[in-house]
Amino acid sequence: MTSDIIINKADFQRHLNGCERRLNDLTNSLQSIEKFAQKLLINNNEKEQEIYFKQLDEIIPQIKFLYSSMITLDQSSFVENGRKRIDSLKSNLEKNRIKFEQIQQYARIKFGYEYKLDDFEEMNGEQQEQSLKLIEKKSNDERIELDVIKEHTVIVNGLEKDISELHGAFIDINRLIHEQGAMVDTIEHALTTTDVIVHEAKEAIQTAVDVKKRSSRKKWILIFVLISILIIIIVILCVIYKVTPPIG
């Protein structure tokens, strides 16, 4: 008898609660069977003995189901959410199984009850097989998880490399911006200096023009003065010539 597959935490809790109820029912059933055996010792008849044997036969599948349920719980990915309860269930289930085997032996000795001695050995073999499958499944899950971790590691390393390259690009851009800023400052300073030089040159040219104009004016004044002096000298010479009588 197999159990439902556990797909979420709610299913896990439901399954765990169900196992606890079944184990409690199993404990009560064993207590009732023990009491029934005591009555059967006092009043043994075929009908009552048949009922007693039937009760014993019904216990076996209950125990098998609970063992199978324990494996299902162990295989669940939510097992850590109820580890203490599961361990307690396993311990109590093992106690009930041992107790039931003692009841079987007692029934065989006292009432001739026949049962398969290897019932629980087969169950233990099946449990071991399922445990091996569980171990293999966990190993596969661990390998898959390891592969996923490796894949994530590769992705993270790639992202770190991309981030490092992006950081380097930002540093280069910042350096270029700084260099361009320095260049702009140099150009601005050169333009300012050029403007000052142009302004000074303009003033120098204007000064030169003014000096030239003043020099030209002085030149014409000097020429005029020289001409005036020359005329005066000629006039004086003429007057002297007219005043002075000729000799002889």
Side-chain angles (χ1 to χ4, degrees), residues 4 12-13 16 20 31-32 34 39 74 79-80 86 93 100 105 131 141 168 174 188 196 205 225 243 245-246:
D4 296 336
F12 178 83
Q13 292 298 329
L16 184 57
E20 289 175 338
Q31 291 175 354
S32 297
E34 284 182 318
K39 293 180 180 179
D74 277 333
V79 63
E80 297 304 325
I86 292 174
L93 178 59
F100 177 67
Q105 293 173 5
S131 297
D141 291 342
N174 184 56
E188 183 179 359
V196 172
I205 291 171
V225 170
V243 173

Side-chain angles (χ1 to χ4, degrees), residues 141-200:
D141 291 342
E142 288 176 356
R143 283 196 296 270
I144 292 173
E145 185 176 356
L146 182 61
D147 291 339
V148 171
I149 291 173
K150 288 181 179 179
E151 184 178 352
H152 286 174
T153 302
V154 172
I155 294 173
V156 169
N157 290 337
L159 288 175
E160 288 180 353
K161 182 179 178 181
D162 292 341
I163 291 172
S164 178
E165 292 177 353
L166 184 61
H167 178 67
F170 275 118
I171 291 176
D172 292 338
I173 291 172
N174 184 56
R175 178 177 55 80
L176 290 173
I177 290 173
H178 180 72
E179 291 177 356
Q180 292 294 329
M183 186 179 296
V184 169
D185 291 340
T186 302
I187 293 172
E188 183 179 359
H189 177 71
L191 290 174
T192 302
T193 304
T194 302
D195 185 59
V196 172
I197 293 172
V198 168
H199 181 72
E200 291 177 352

Side-chain angles (χ1 to χ4, degrees), residues 46-167:
E46 185 177 348
K47 184 177 180 180
E48 295 294 328
Q49 186 172 293
E50 184 178 348
I51 295 173
Y52 177 63
F53 289 168
K54 184 178 179 181
Q55 290 178 347
L56 291 173
D57 291 339
E58 290 174 351
I59 294 297
I60 296 174
Q62 293 182 39
I63 295 177
K64 287 184 176 182
F65 178 83
L66 283 169
Y67 270 109
S68 177
S69 296
M70 292 297 101
I71 294 174
T72 302
L73 289 171
D74 277 333
Q75 290 175 343
S76 171
S77 57
F78 310 102
V79 63
E80 297 304 325
N81 295 331
R83 171 56 63 191
K84 291 183 179 180
R85 293 171 64 186
I86 292 174
D87 291 341
S88 176
L89 279 172
K90 288 181 179 179
S91 176
N92 291 331
L93 178 59
E94 185 65 17
K95 291 177 181 178
N96 281 328
R97 184 186 68 81
I98 294 171
K99 183 177 182 180
F100 177 67
E101 288 179 344
Q102 293 172 349
I103 292 174
Q104 282 182 314
Q105 293 173 5
Y106 180 82
R108 179 174 59 82
I109 294 170
K110 294 294 183 180
F111 308 108
Y113 174 64
E114 295 181 359
Y115 63 94
K116 291 174 63 176
L117 297 175
D118 58 350
D119 267 345
F120 292 109
E121 291 180 2
E122 291 178 358
M123 182 187 66
N124 290 335
E126 181 182 354
Q127 183 181 4
Q128 290 177 359
E129 182 180 354
Q130 292 185 7
S131 297
L132 289 175
K133 289 181 180 180
L134 175 61
I135 293 172
E136 291 177 358
K137 180 177 180 297
K138 287 184 176 179
S139 298
N140 291 332
D141 291 342
E142 288 176 356
R143 283 196 296 270
I144 292 173
E145 185 176 356
L146 182 61
D147 291 339
V148 171
I149 291 173
K150 288 181 179 179
E151 184 178 352
H152 286 174
T153 302
V154 172
I155 294 173
V156 169
N157 290 337
L159 288 175
E160 288 180 353
K161 182 179 178 181
D162 292 341
I163 291 172
S164 178
E165 292 177 353
L166 184 61
H167 178 67

Side-chain angles (χ1 to χ4, degrees), residues 203-219:
E203 290 181 350
I205 291 171
Q206 185 65 40
T207 303
V209 170
D210 293 341
V211 170
K212 185 178 180 181
K213 286 181 180 180
R214 289 195 296 270
S215 297
S216 179
R217 188 180 298 112
K218 289 179 180 179
K219 178 182 178 181

